[in-house]
Amino acid sequence: MAQDIPYKSRVRIEAEAICDDFVADGAARFETDILLPAEVLLDLYGEDIRARAYVTTDPERGEMMLRPDFTVPVVQYHMDGDGFPASYTYFGEVFRKQEDHPDRRSEYMQVGYEEFGGANAAAADAKVFGKFSDALAPLGLRAATGDIGILIAMVEGLDTTEDRRTALMRHIWRPARFTALVKRFAGLTPVPPSRAALLATDAALPEAEVMIGLRSDREIASRIAALRADAAEPPMSAEIVDLIAAVLSVSETCPNALEHLRDIAVDMPGLLPALDRFEARCDAMAKCGIDVDALPFEASYGRTSMEYYDGFVFGFYSEARPDLPPVATGGRYDALTRRLGQGREIPAVGGVIRPDLVVELGGLR
């Protein structure tokens, strides 16, 4: 009986079964090391990832990380190959520190499916979402969708300086920091006394007997120059701030969200190409039998946990167990293939399932 099987064994059995289903649907099995070179992950995510990953040092290979996910090694593998369209599936343990959520597991199993090279992005997004929706259907989960591409288009189209757009783009995935920057650029928050004092002087560097930290004098001077240049710019208009807030607050069914965003695009035309892609994806989903009219869409969805996604994003949640993290998440990450492919880009979309949460919710079989 299932209750006689150790918990971790039940999770592995569930993971193998899900993975087998993806293989039966044409995906190739993928395996990767548990210990990964830290350099690539640090280049992608910066030092922030140290707060979430387990880092160790190997005497021969330098800094290494316990695998935080599978997507990066899958992308590296595919981009090192012939570039032909392909799909992969995998399962295994991943490791994440849980300082903010000590009740959550720091070691757990993931099952994933990744698809590369789909010429029709809308159709590929719909196909992958449909695969996850069908796989998890017995659990009766709530779906959530969003589109980071719309937020990227919003920032790229802002009538402001290039430096401000760059700063906002860097923090799309950090909502609190993003909001603080918008308020600062709009002059809605007071300048901290220490910064005001710095901006009031003409010195290239602040006077200090001892320099503490890792930044060089040149880096510090460059940062001060950037702060002074920004302080000399007029504040962003109230209209821009209102448009940003309007986009970020959209949370409706897909058709209503699209209509609302097209209304906003009258004053923010840079959104239109991203909205055309959104509409094409809705049409493709409808052709796959997905009830798009009832499918939720949140413009801000995925901003706190999906840093490498740059387009469609989705997740599946248990309404009966709101204490649980998402049972599955995924989305489009074309930009990640460009970064790991030395400039060569391949369309890519995929996602992961947590088989441990599937087991907690009663299993799929």
Side-chain angles (χ1 to χ4, degrees), residues 328-348:
T329 56
R332 176 161 292 279
Y333 51 90
D334 296 354
L336 182 60
T337 70
R338 182 172 64 251
R339 292 191 65 180
L340 295 177
Q342 290 76 51
R344 185 167 56 100
E345 182 176 310
I346 295 176

Side-chain angles (χ1 to χ4, degrees), residues 183-196:
K183 290 181 177 179
R184 193 184 100 198
F185 294 154
L188 299 176
T189 53
V191 179
S194 58
R195 181 172 295 174

Side-chain angles (χ1 to χ4, degrees), residues 18-362:
I18 298 170
C19 193
D20 286 344
D21 288 344
F22 287 138
V23 170
D25 209 21
R29 284 191 183 273
F30 176 80
E31 298 282 349
T32 188
D33 295 335
I34 292 176
L35 269 178
L36 301 175
E39 182 180 4
V40 173
L41 294 161
L42 288 169
D43 285 346
L44 281 173
Y45 305 123
E47 290 294 324
D48 287 354
I49 197 172
R50 290 185 187 276
R52 308 193 303 275
Y54 290 93
V55 183
T56 187
T57 302
D58 183 275
E60 298 293 331
R61 302 173 67 188
E63 274 198 316
M64 306 292 290
M65 282 188 186
L66 285 175
R67 182 173 62 207
D69 65 31
F70 281 84
T71 303
V72 169
V74 172
V75 173
Q76 286 180 304
Y77 173 80
H78 186 80
M79 299 308 290
D80 287 342
D82 54 26
F84 291 130
S87 59
Y88 305 94
T89 185
Y90 50 80
F91 75 90
E93 290 83 0
V94 296
F95 306 85
R96 307 270 184 90
K97 292 179 183 177
Q98 302 290 357
E99 293 179 0
D100 294 333
H101 302 280
D103 55 317
R104 295 183 180 178
R105 301 183 185 94
S106 56
E107 173 188 349
Y108 55 88
M109 190 82 67
Q110 270 188 355
V111 184
Y113 174 87
E114 316 288 345
E115 187 166 304
F116 296 86
N120 185 327
D125 288 349
K127 175 185 173 183
V128 170
F129 178 82
K131 280 182 178 291
F132 281 73
S133 181
D134 291 345
L136 298 169
L139 300 180
L141 304 177
R142 172 182 64 84
T145 69
D147 193 332
I148 301 298
I150 291 173
L151 304 187
I152 292 173
M154 173 188 72
V155 173
E156 288 178 340
L158 291 178
D159 182 15
T160 187
T161 67
E162 183 61 29
D163 286 343
R164 287 177 175 178
R165 281 194 294 268
T166 299
L168 290 169
M169 192 71 73
R170 188 166 58 247
H171 293 289
I172 279 179
W173 293 271
R174 300 174 180 88
R177 178 61 176 156
F178 183 92
T179 300
L181 281 175
V182 170
K183 290 181 177 179
R184 193 184 100 198
F185 294 154
L188 299 176
T189 53
V191 179
S194 58
R195 181 172 295 174
L198 179 65
L199 296 174
T201 70
D202 295 325
L205 289 171
E207 294 183 7
E209 295 182 2
V210 179
M211 299 295 284
I212 300 173
L214 299 177
R215 290 185 180 180
S216 66
D217 288 357
R218 178 178 296 180
E219 289 173 321
I220 295 171
S222 176
R223 174 60 177 158
I224 292 172
L227 289 172
R228 287 173 175 157
D230 185 72
E233 293 289 337
M236 288 198 314
S237 69
E239 290 77 12
I240 291 177
V241 174
D242 290 343
L243 286 170
I244 291 172
V247 172
L248 295 178
S249 66
V250 171
S251 179
E252 305 177 43
T253 60
C254 284
N256 290 337
L258 180 59
E259 182 179 358
H260 190 168
L261 287 165
R262 287 206 181 277
D263 288 342
I264 296 171
V266 171
D267 297 309
M268 193 177 269
L271 292 176
L272 290 173
L275 298 183
D276 289 343
R277 292 191 291 271
F278 180 16
E279 185 170 10
R281 183 172 64 247
C282 289
D283 291 342
M285 285 182 166
K287 290 177 182 177
C288 291
I290 297 165
D291 185 4
V292 178
D293 289 342
L295 184 64
F297 178 90
E298 302 170 40
S300 286
Y301 180 70
R303 293 179 66 202
T304 59
S305 58
M306 301 182 173
E307 292 179 29
Y308 48 71
Y309 294 119
D310 60 343
F312 174 53
V313 287
F314 64 85
F316 289 89
Y317 299 79
S318 170
E319 292 187 299
R321 290 288 307 276
D323 57 305
L324 294 180
V327 178
T329 56
R332 176 161 292 279
Y333 51 90
D334 296 354
L336 182 60
T337 70
R338 182 172 64 251
R339 292 191 65 180
L340 295 177
Q342 290 76 51
R344 185 167 56 100
E345 182 176 310
I346 295 176
V349 59
V352 294
I353 296 172
R354 289 274 303 263
D356 58 329
L357 302 182
V358 170
V359 168
E360 286 197 35
L361 294 172

